[in-house]
Amino acid sequence: MEARVLNRDMPNHIEKGEVLVEVNNLKKYFHIGKGAILKAVDDVSFIIRKGETLGMVGESGCGKTTCGRTVIGMYGATDGEVLFKGQNVHRMNAKQRKDFTKQAQIIFQDPYASLNPRMTVGDIIAEGIDIHGMYSGKERMNRVYELLGMVGLNKEHASRFPHEFSGGQRQRIGIARALAIEPEFIVCDEPISALDVSIQAQIVNLLIKFQRELGLTYLFIAHDLSMVKHISDRVAVMYLGCMVELAESHELYRNPLHPYTRALLSAIPIPDPEVERTRKRIMLEGEVPSPINPAPGCRFRARCPYAKPVCAEQTPPLKEIDKEHFVACHLY
Amino acid sequence: MGKLLEVKNLRVSYHTYAGEVQSVRGVSFELDRGESIAIVGESGCGKTVTSKSIMGLIQTPPGEIKEGSQILFDGRDILKFSKKEWQQYRGAEVSMIFQDPMTSLNPTMKIGNQIAESLIIHRGMNKKQAFEEAVRMLELVNIPNARSRANQYPHQFSGGMRQRAMIAIALACNPKILIADEPTTALDVTIQAQIIELMKDLQKKLGTAIILITHDLGVVADIAQKVIVMYAGQIVERGNADELFYSPRHPYTWSLLKAVPRLDSEKKEDLVSIQGTPPDLIAPPKGCPFASRCKYCMQICKEQAPPVTKISDTHEASCWLHHPLAPRVDEIAVETGGGL
């Protein structure tokens, strides 16, 4: 309960802008049989302000995708709450929920699996418009054409099927679908990791452009730290279901505090032979342990070079060390 | 002593319903003993097909290595090998690790036996010797409790450990060339760092030449001495790592370098995105393949393939911008930080 009080402090630091999404002590557990519990998201709290991009990084299995899906209400929460404009996402009645889906959207990781192969691109994009009864007839098609133009596709593409498009084009369709109902908040769940480098830049530039023009708020989930740094205002680092560090993006890269963040940053190869020759790397031993029935204490302690006895006993709470710089580690 | 590997004018096509896809269109390069070379490019640029040709893994049909292509290994043309010669060459002289460690191991065979397999075939060891050697190989790639691990199946290994096991299999017979096809793409960054460190370490210890195929320029900067940039089945630029990263000469290389944000940069600049998509290789363009996406495209680029311009002994680029009559592109120098 103590951690709860500590985490409750966070929303008080808001100065820059209105809070759009507030996540308090969110937990998402999956029962996977034989009494085993997979703690995908375990006691995570953060806020997202209107118009900002919060980046969320971590290795596979750290719970970042589950976190994004729970925030948007695709998964029910095991415990804790997600407030969107002060309203609990998981306690909405049907009408409120429909209203919420008009304001929050998601872009998925795999552009090959996330588009219905039996629907035309026009119908895929217009599905949200139809559900919310926004436009019909000629207006509806005009809106679809407008959206296609916005993401750099042509009018003619509306009558085609997803298999006729390349990965980058499909991701553009996914973005057009998310934008169709004019949402305020978009969860971008690894939207670029399935794409080639040159195409990644196209998609990221497109997302940044829409944010500027439409005032969108993003939760940007990715494992590519350099891309997350590029797009985000603040970055949260996840490890095995817990948030270990949260800071303004330049601050995080300039002054990483958590041992995991440091190792993660140093593991990324930089495209510069001279830098690579002289750089000293922090190598982590071993691999990410299983999130099934995790032991109490700090989740990172088995791989941490600075682990102390206290790390095995208490889970470190997320504390504010510096202004807007939160870290969950017993070292601080 | 001659070159270890010489690829000369390699052309590979795949026959499909839609027509003949010209995946590799005249690729030539050389590899010295103990050298590491990286082949960089987007998906579909022919980098994997090139490496598969060296391994003799092009399935015919639908694939076809065109007349006039030559791959010389220690002076012998491997494309003229008999079945028996292939068997002696594959695994013993050249071996390969694949992108996906989840699907490239045999799920029904113990890891130790998978490593021992090639030792029994190539080195004529008996089962017991081969198993002992397999345990030693697992230790070499830093797998803890190697002896008990050798008796386990691939599903009991994590992603990073499977890739280590793959490397152990590939290096078991001490090959002269190791082809690594996107060895770290499926892995997390901290594990990627471990695997790259391991490959560098093993190269030093065993003196194996490495052909690294990747699209991650960071990995290239870390491991490669020479770099080849491929686009639409052709080599557009080649050079040693410093030349390529600090004074790239092809517009495609420029955009590749500018398309990824750098972790160590403080500025928030727009990423350079390359508009459009690579050309269709069923009917490749007659001019420069990059012309339709190139910012500096001139009339001639669309009509004639650019000649190879030699910039230094090791550095070459295929671009019309280096023709004496072409306009000087000053903008480039600014963009790449004074490369030209």
Side-chain angles (χ1 to χ4, degrees):
Chain A
M1 271 299 123
E2 201 181 61
R4 188 168 195 118
V5 177
L6 266 168
N7 285 336
R8 275 291 189 182
D9 291 347
M10 283 182 56
N12 297 336
H13 296 286
I14 309 140
E15 291 150 20
K16 290 180 192 156
E18 191 191 329
V19 177
L20 190 70
V21 180
E22 186 182 334
V23 176
N24 292 319
N25 306 98
L26 185 69
K27 291 181 188 168
K28 177 66 196 169
Y29 297 168
F30 293 99
H31 293 271
I32 51 170
K34 291 180 190 160
I37 296 173
L38 190 153
K39 297 187 174 179
V41 177
D42 201 9
D43 206 357
V44 166
S45 302
F46 58 92
I47 55 158
I48 307 174
R49 299 191 185 93
K50 211 170 159 46
E52 81 165 345
T53 300
L54 176 70
M56 192 171 260
V57 290
E59 294 177 88
S60 35
C62 73
K64 52 192 193 301
T65 293
T66 308
C67 186
R69 291 189 172 191
T70 317
V71 164
I72 207 161
M74 284 175 73
Y75 292 151
T78 306
D79 193 20
E81 55 181 14
V82 179
L83 303 177
F84 183 83
K85 293 185 175 171
Q87 220 179 9
N88 192 332
V89 170
H90 299 285
R91 297 249 162 74
M92 287 174 170
N93 62 32
K95 191 180 168 298
Q96 287 169 325
R97 178 140 186 95
K98 192 170 172 186
D99 202 43
F100 169 67
T101 56
K102 194 174 171 302
Q103 299 174 62
Q105 280 293 313
I106 184 164
I107 300 168
F108 294 98
Q109 172 172 9
D110 186 352
Y112 290 86
S114 58
L115 302 176
N116 187 338
R118 310 212 295 182
M119 279 166 82
T120 64
V121 167
D123 286 338
I124 288 173
I125 295 174
E127 199 175 11
I129 297 175
D130 297 342
I131 287 169
H132 293 285
M134 293 167 76
Y135 304 100
S136 59
K138 214 172 160 201
E139 266 186 322
R140 172 180 177 269
M141 278 332 278
N142 283 339
R143 174 72 182 147
V144 169
Y145 296 150
E146 188 195 347
L147 286 160
L148 281 171
M150 277 163 79
V151 297
L153 296 172
N154 302 330
K155 237 172 144 172
E156 295 77 54
H157 289 140
S159 55
R160 297 207 196 152
F161 287 92
H163 74 264
E164 297 171 69
F165 295 88
S166 66
Q169 286 177 318
R170 284 177 203 221
Q171 205 53 292
R172 286 167 189 269
I173 297 167
I175 293 172
R177 170 174 65 182
L179 291 174
I181 51 167
E182 296 155 30
E184 285 176 55
F185 174 56
I186 299 181
V187 174
C188 309
D189 184 7
E190 307 220 25
I192 50 166
S193 50
L195 307 173
D196 262 320
V197 206
S198 69
I199 313 291
Q200 282 187 358
Q202 290 178 8
I203 299 296
V204 165
N205 285 344
L206 203 61
L207 287 171
I208 294 176
K209 180 178 143 231
F210 288 137
Q211 181 165 47
R212 280 189 201 135
E213 287 171 5
L214 308 171
L216 296 170
T217 306
Y218 291 141
L219 173 60
F220 192 87
I221 299 166
H223 62 258
D224 179 344
L225 276 96
S226 25
M227 205 52 106
V228 168
K229 181 197 174 202
H230 180 78
I231 197 170
S232 311
D233 300 302
R234 292 187 302 140
V235 176
V237 182
M238 300 273 293
Y239 187 77
L240 219 58
C242 297
M243 192 174 282
V244 296
E245 192 159 358
L246 170 65
E248 189 268 320
S249 76
H250 280 295
E251 167 72 10
L252 185 82
Y253 289 87
R254 215 178 295 136
N255 184 24
L257 293 176
H258 199 283
Y260 177 64
T261 315
R262 287 189 186 166
L264 199 59
L265 288 174
S266 103
I268 298 164
I270 291 172
D272 189 327
E274 193 54 45
V275 174
E276 280 299 323
R277 273 194 288 267
T278 49
R279 205 153 77 114
K280 231 182 131 59
R281 205 158 256 159
I282 308 168
M283 291 303 261
L284 279 185
E285 295 289 315
E287 306 194 11
V288 185
S290 156
I292 299 163
N293 297 335
C298 175
R299 297 279 165 89
F300 185 57
R301 70 172 191 280
R303 296 172 83 192
C304 182
Y306 311 104
K308 299 182 287 188
V310 64
C311 302
E313 289 153 19
Q314 278 176 3
T315 308
L318 197 66
K319 287 178 290 197
E320 185 166 17
I321 300 296
D322 208 346
K323 197 175 168 303
E324 285 280 316
H325 195 151
F326 296 84
V327 63
C329 180
H330 286 303
L331 287 177
Y332 303 97
Chain B
M1 200 155 46
K3 300 274 178 194
L4 182 57
L5 182 81
E6 281 176 84
V7 176
K8 288 182 181 167
N9 193 26
L10 178 69
R11 288 184 302 135
V12 186
S13 288
Y14 280 89
H15 297 279
T16 66
Y17 287 116
E20 183 185 327
V21 181
Q22 302 174 30
S23 300
V24 176
R25 304 185 293 144
V27 161
S28 307
F29 66 92
E30 292 168 351
L31 181 72
D32 275 327
R33 275 156 232 278
E35 193 176 45
S36 55
I37 194 165
I39 305 181
V40 195
E42 292 175 82
S43 21
C45 73
K47 52 192 196 302
T48 298
V49 176
T50 303
S51 64
K52 278 188 171 171
S53 315
I54 298 168
M55 243 345 238
L57 294 176
I58 301 287
Q59 216 176 24
T60 24
E64 183 194 355
I65 296 180
K66 291 283 189 179
E67 210 49 47
S69 311
Q70 258 190 331
I71 301 177
L72 302 179
F73 175 80
D74 252 347
R76 295 180 296 157
D77 190 351
I78 63 167
L79 298 177
K80 298 208 170 70
F81 272 4
S82 66
K83 204 169 170 188
K84 195 151 175 242
E85 284 173 308
W86 269 120
Q87 280 171 356
Q88 284 164 356
Y89 162 85
R90 243 188 243 131
E93 307 279 10
V94 179
S95 60
M96 187 160 178
I97 49 179
F98 298 91
Q99 177 171 1
D100 192 352
M102 310 294 166
T103 53
S104 37
L105 289 168
N106 185 342
T108 65
M109 248 173 112
K110 287 177 182 166
I111 295 281
N113 292 347
Q114 298 196 40
I115 302 172
E117 197 181 20
S118 65
L119 290 165
I120 294 168
I121 294 169
H122 291 298
R123 294 260 195 93
M125 290 185 181
N126 65 33
K127 264 191 177 170
K128 191 140 183 287
Q129 287 170 325
F131 190 81
E132 287 305 314
E133 180 66 12
V135 172
R136 205 185 63 79
M137 286 311 296
L138 285 176
E139 277 164 3
L140 189 71
V141 296
N142 303 329
I143 287 188
N145 310 325
R147 190 163 294 275
S148 60
R149 283 295 189 175
N151 274 315
Q152 289 185 335
Y153 290 93
H155 74 267
Q156 291 163 299
F157 277 48
S158 69
M161 290 219 299
R162 283 181 218 189
Q163 199 58 288
R164 285 170 193 271
M166 283 282 296
I167 294 175
I169 293 172
L171 294 179
C173 290
N174 204 359
K176 297 196 178 74
I177 303 175
L178 174 68
I179 302 174
D181 188 0
E182 310 234 7
T184 57
T185 310
L187 306 174
D188 279 317
V189 271
T190 56
I191 312 298
Q192 167 174 302
Q194 292 172 356
I195 297 288
I196 291 172
E197 212 53 39
L198 175 70
M199 283 177 57
K200 274 166 50 178
D201 192 40
L202 290 177
Q203 186 183 25
K204 239 181 257 159
K205 269 190 211 156
L206 308 172
T208 318
I210 293 180
I211 301 178
L212 175 76
I213 296 170
T214 181
H215 59 257
D216 187 336
L217 288 162
V219 176
V220 174
D222 197 355
I223 204 168
Q225 290 147 4
K226 281 196 200 164
V227 187
I228 290 173
V229 182
M230 279 188 74
Y231 186 78
Q234 291 174 330
I235 293 176
V236 294
E237 185 167 7
R238 73 174 91 210
N240 62 38
D242 284 12
E243 288 168 332
L244 215 104
F245 279 95
Y246 300 133
S247 52
R249 289 299 191 95
H250 196 281
Y252 180 62
T253 318
W254 295 331
S255 21
L256 268 188
L257 285 167
K258 298 291 280 182
V260 279
R262 279 187 53 162
L263 198 60
D264 56 346
S265 95
E266 291 276 319
K267 285 178 290 181
K268 225 178 179 131
E269 51 204 12
D270 271 355
L271 299 178
V272 175
S273 65
I274 312 174
Q275 291 309 320
T277 43
D280 184 358
L281 292 179
I282 289 178
K286 60 177 174 171
C288 169
F290 191 58
S292 64
R293 302 173 80 187
C294 183
K295 261 208 291 202
Y296 312 100
C297 177
M298 297 174 287
Q299 194 54 44
I300 190 157
C301 302
K302 292 178 195 154
E303 281 159 19
Q304 259 182 40
V308 176
T309 312
K310 232 177 159 56
I311 291 136
S312 75
D313 278 349
T314 46
H315 193 180
E316 284 175 8
S318 306
C319 180
W320 279 113
L321 284 176
H322 302 302
H323 193 271
L325 294 176
R328 255 192 91 73
V329 186
D330 287 330
E331 188 191 346
I332 302 154
V334 183
E335 259 186 15
T336 55
L340 281 177

